[in-house]
Amino acid sequence: MLIRNRTHYAVAAALVAALALAGCKKKEEPAPTPPPAAETPAPAPEPAPAATPAPAALSVTSVTLGTAAGADKKITAPTTSFKPTDTIVASVATDGAATNASLSAKLTYQDGQVAGEETQTLNTAGAETTNFNFSKKSPWPAGKYKVEVSANGAVANTAELEVK
């Protein structure tokens, strides 16, 4: 009978040990549940409208100086040397498309003093020539001058001249 009790004790001890180990075991985290499958696919975004190529921005291609311009607005006799009584004509060639673009020319004397300034509004779809005329009732002071041409407020080209 003693042997039987030992067997019972051994089995009981094994069961207690198994239960103790099972109780100390870490709890496993439940696996994350996958998001529910979409019943209907999301509608595809509408395609963007076909891109219309943007017109080329207005650019100043050249500034030519002289005392007179022809019917085509181009200087008839280009020069950078003027007499004190001359009208200074700045012929500005532009290219590109523009609507209500601001084109301006500023004539500055060698000491930085502004001797003349003019602004025009352009509506163009290609190459064009615009003239700016600078004149004075009294003679121009002798010296060096600069014509600064700006398109939409940004300096685009310059030309230098001298009054002798």
Side-chain angles (χ1 to χ4, degrees):
M1 189 152 129
L2 201 49
I3 295 180
R4 239 184 188 184
N5 282 342
R6 283 187 185 171
T7 307
H8 286 247
Y9 288 130
V11 170
L15 278 172
V16 169
L19 285 174
L21 281 176
C24 290
K25 186 177 176 184
K26 274 187 166 180
K27 276 190 171 177
E28 288 185 23
E29 293 293 322
T33 50
E39 292 181 18
T40 57
E46 289 186 30
T52 305
L58 181 70
S59 64
V60 175
T61 56
S62 68
V63 177
T64 308
L65 303 175
T67 57
D72 61 355
K73 297 184 180 180
K74 294 185 180 177
I75 299 296
T76 53
T79 187
T80 57
S81 182
F82 295 85
K83 296 179 201 163
T85 56
D86 284 342
T87 295
I88 300 168
V89 180
S91 179
V92 180
T94 57
D95 199 5
T99 302
N100 294 326
S102 172
L103 187 66
S104 61
K106 178 169 61 171
L107 179 65
T108 308
Y109 187 59
Q110 63 193 13
D111 66 358
Q113 181 180 351
V114 176
E117 194 165 13
E118 188 179 331
T119 300
Q120 295 184 33
T121 301
L122 290 182
N123 292 307
T124 181
E128 189 168 315
T129 302
T130 305
N131 290 337
F132 296 93
N133 299 303
F134 299 102
S135 60
K136 239 180 120 162
K137 291 182 183 180
S138 59
W140 293 106
K144 296 186 183 228
Y145 293 76
K146 178 171 74 171
V147 176
E148 186 176 85
V149 177
S150 298
N152 292 320
V155 175
N157 208 325
T158 61
E160 295 184 2
L161 63 106
E162 187 171 3
V163 174
K164 296 180 185 181

